[in-house]
Amino acid sequence: MATTNDIKNGTVLKLEGNLWNVIEFQHVKPGKGGAFVRTKMRNITSGKVVDKTFNAGAKIETATVDRSEYQYLYQDGADYVFMDNKTYDQITVPGEVVGDAANFMLENLNATIAMHEGAPLYIELPASVVLEITYTEPGLQGDRSTGGTKPATVETGYQIQVPLFLEQGTKVKVDTRTGDYLGRVNE
């Protein structure tokens, strides 16, 4: 058992039979009354985000979560196969656990997988990845001062919004958290 003093970003708590990942926390000591800890937590299985307040010093149960670096190998039906970078063991992660991360995963991409009691909980990708545009309409000639965008399909099949001047075959940097275009990559 731990106390609320042990809460940090990334801590996984076990509450009411569910696992919750702490996104934000704040220790508050008001002038009147006892201190408390305000947290914002994400349910690991459903993805639901809630705010919860704990009294300072209250006992909480933390879950042991191991985070390891894995390399994405290939997709096997609805599942994804990863290889541990240290032991070279392969694990299969269900598509529900991978979720939206699949839109940005290319073979040989390194990702961090969080495991609890041998079961994968979630996947953390790098903040941005480089993907090639496989299809986009030609840009329109004329006024470019408006900073317009157009849809483009990247090599994973995901569609993003890019500036009008980008063409098919261009490599772009994409934010894995939001799916936003971050810029061109010159090689």
Side-chain angles (χ1 to χ4, degrees):
M1 290 296 260
T3 66
T4 54
N5 297 333
D6 300 321
I7 293 178
K8 293 177 179 42
N9 289 348
T11 304
V12 177
L13 305 177
K14 198 182 278 189
L15 300 171
E16 301 154 8
N18 290 322
L19 295 176
W20 298 84
N21 190 8
V22 176
I23 303 168
E24 294 176 19
F25 74 99
Q26 180 182 18
H27 289 276
V28 180
K29 185 159 175 41
K32 194 176 197 181
F36 58 91
V37 179
R38 188 180 295 137
T39 62
K40 183 182 278 190
M41 302 184 299
R42 176 181 288 121
N43 186 315
I44 289 179
T45 51
S46 70
K48 180 180 174 185
V49 176
V50 298
D51 294 323
K52 186 154 177 70
T53 303
F54 300 95
N55 290 330
K59 299 281 186 204
I60 54 172
E61 188 176 356
T62 58
T64 326
V65 174
D66 301 319
R67 290 176 174 86
S68 297
E69 193 74 22
Y70 286 83
Q71 184 179 44
Y72 170 58
L73 297 179
Y74 59 92
Q75 185 173 354
D76 183 19
D79 299 335
Y80 295 82
V81 179
F82 291 84
M83 178 182 68
D84 189 320
N85 286 345
K86 294 184 186 94
T87 64
Y88 302 111
D89 292 337
Q90 291 185 9
I91 64 163
T92 303
V93 180
E96 306 86 59
V97 174
V98 174
D100 290 340
N103 296 329
F104 310 106
M105 291 188 337
L106 290 175
E107 292 178 0
N108 303 324
L109 175 80
N110 285 333
T112 303
I113 300 180
M115 307 274 274
H116 174 66
E117 297 175 354
L121 297 175
Y122 58 89
I123 292 181
E124 295 173 357
L125 293 179
S128 64
V129 292
V130 175
L131 299 171
E132 185 176 328
I133 295 175
T134 55
Y135 176 77
T136 186
E137 295 289 332
L140 300 171
Q141 292 292 1
D143 182 21
R144 307 256 171 132
S145 63
T146 58
T149 60
K150 63 182 180 179
T153 305
V154 293
E155 55 191 309
T156 60
Y158 187 64
Q159 196 172 66
I160 62 172
Q161 292 293 319
V162 298
L164 294 171
F165 61 85
L166 289 180
E167 299 171 354
Q168 200 165 308
T170 306
K171 289 192 181 281
V172 293
K173 189 182 271 193
V174 180
D175 188 324
T176 58
R177 296 165 297 218
T178 61
D180 292 341
Y181 163 82
L182 295 176
R184 261 192 304 194
V185 177
N186 298 326
E187 291 183 25

